Amino acid sequence: MTNALSTRLDFLWAGLLKHGQTGGIVPSQRFLIAKMIAPVPESYRGQIIELGAGTGALTLQLAARCPGARILACEINSILVRGIKRRLTTAGYHGRVEVVSGSAELLLSEIGQRGMAKPDFVISGIPLGNLGREKVGRLLDAIQKTLGEGGMYIQFQHSLLDQKNIRARFQHTRTVPAFLNFPPAVVYYAQR
Ligand SMILES: C[S@@+](CC[C@H](N)C(=O)[O-])C[C@H]1O[C@@H](n2cnc3c(N)ncnc32)[C@H](O)[C@@H]1O
């Protein structure tokens, strides 16, 4: 089976079994991924956090774009974690990119305890629209607190439901459509 096919099947299966948590049945495509990772300079050598890595569609592109960066990603679905780890090893990114099996909430709460420097970028595909108001509020607060001063939170969604919530927590926000993705999406860029 080709890598592209196994990626799609893994995600389709996750989407069918846990639709609310997965937020779709196809991984993000290149137009959306390009918009998501564009603000991270190719020469960036710091820490990037990715929340909800799924099959690693974005993680792999990000690792290729920023060879000097350290990427710490989390994914709540342990079956998807197995697939992403395999793909990262095949691509030769094992070591520079770490994937942890668990929730974004847990990872964000542990970052301080790991003694890590605050990241300049938090990139997320978590389906906020399916989480419920209080959970979204807590997650956005944790992201805001975790980011370094001037750092950027980048989030894609398939609706504008959480635009107000994001604007309420970040000084500068921008919303950009990604019409060529299926399904169409918007990308939020929110600067601390
Ligand atoms: C819409 S998919 C995005 C996947 C991938 N980033 C992409 O662009 O194709 C959302 C992913 O977030 C994961 N997820 C949902 N809630 C999560 C949480 N609280 N913590 C970590 N991952 C979560 C889901 O399992 C799913 O793989």
Side-chain angles (χ1 to χ4, degrees):
M1 199 184 331
T2 66
N3 198 26
L5 183 59
S6 90
T7 303
R8 281 180 182 271
L9 286 179
D10 280 1
F11 201 82
L12 174 64
W13 194 233
L16 292 175
L17 287 181
K18 301 183 176 189
H19 187 73
Q21 186 183 81
T22 312
I25 51 167
V26 280
S28 303
Q29 296 115 57
R30 61 194 164 99
F31 308 104
L32 173 58
I33 292 174
K35 283 193 191 313
M36 294 281 288
I37 64 179
V40 188
E42 290 175 23
S43 59
Y44 180 65
R45 302 187 67 79
Q47 180 76 55
I48 304 170
I49 302 293
E50 187 192 358
L51 309 175
T55 54
L58 185 149
T59 326
L60 286 159
Q61 297 292 320
L62 185 61
R65 176 182 170 84
C66 308
R70 292 182 308 282
I71 302 170
L72 173 59
C74 72
E75 169 53 52
I76 203 165
N77 182 331
S78 57
I79 296 175
L80 291 179
V81 172
R82 282 210 293 273
I84 185 174
K85 284 192 169 170
R86 198 180 56 242
R87 285 178 202 106
L88 286 167
T89 304
T90 306
Y93 297 133
H94 182 73
R96 183 158 70 82
V97 182
E98 186 186 352
V99 183
V100 293
S101 182
S103 74
E105 294 81 349
L106 185 65
L107 178 70
L108 292 167
S109 75
E110 283 179 355
I111 282 177
Q113 296 160 21
R114 280 177 171 230
M116 272 172 50
K118 283 182 175 262
D120 295 306
F121 298 95
V122 173
I123 302 182
S124 165
I126 290 184
L128 300 179
N130 299 346
L131 289 189
R133 206 181 147 86
E134 286 191 5
K135 248 183 136 179
V136 171
R138 282 200 299 272
L139 182 62
L140 293 177
D141 286 341
I143 292 170
Q144 203 265 4
K145 220 172 87 187
T146 302
L147 264 177
E149 206 60 50
M152 186 180 276
Y153 163 47
I154 305 166
Q155 169 82 52
F156 83 81
Q157 288 291 272
H158 297 295
S159 80
L160 290 167
L161 277 178
D162 286 293
Q163 190 176 42
K164 232 168 102 181
N165 282 330
I166 294 173
R167 283 192 176 154
R169 289 168 173 87
F170 291 86
Q171 289 198 11
H172 307 285
T173 62
R174 219 157 45 91
T175 309
V176 171
F179 293 127
L180 292 179
N181 193 66
F182 178 80
V186 290
V187 180
Y188 298 113
Y189 303 101
Q191 197 130 23
R192 196 181 152 186

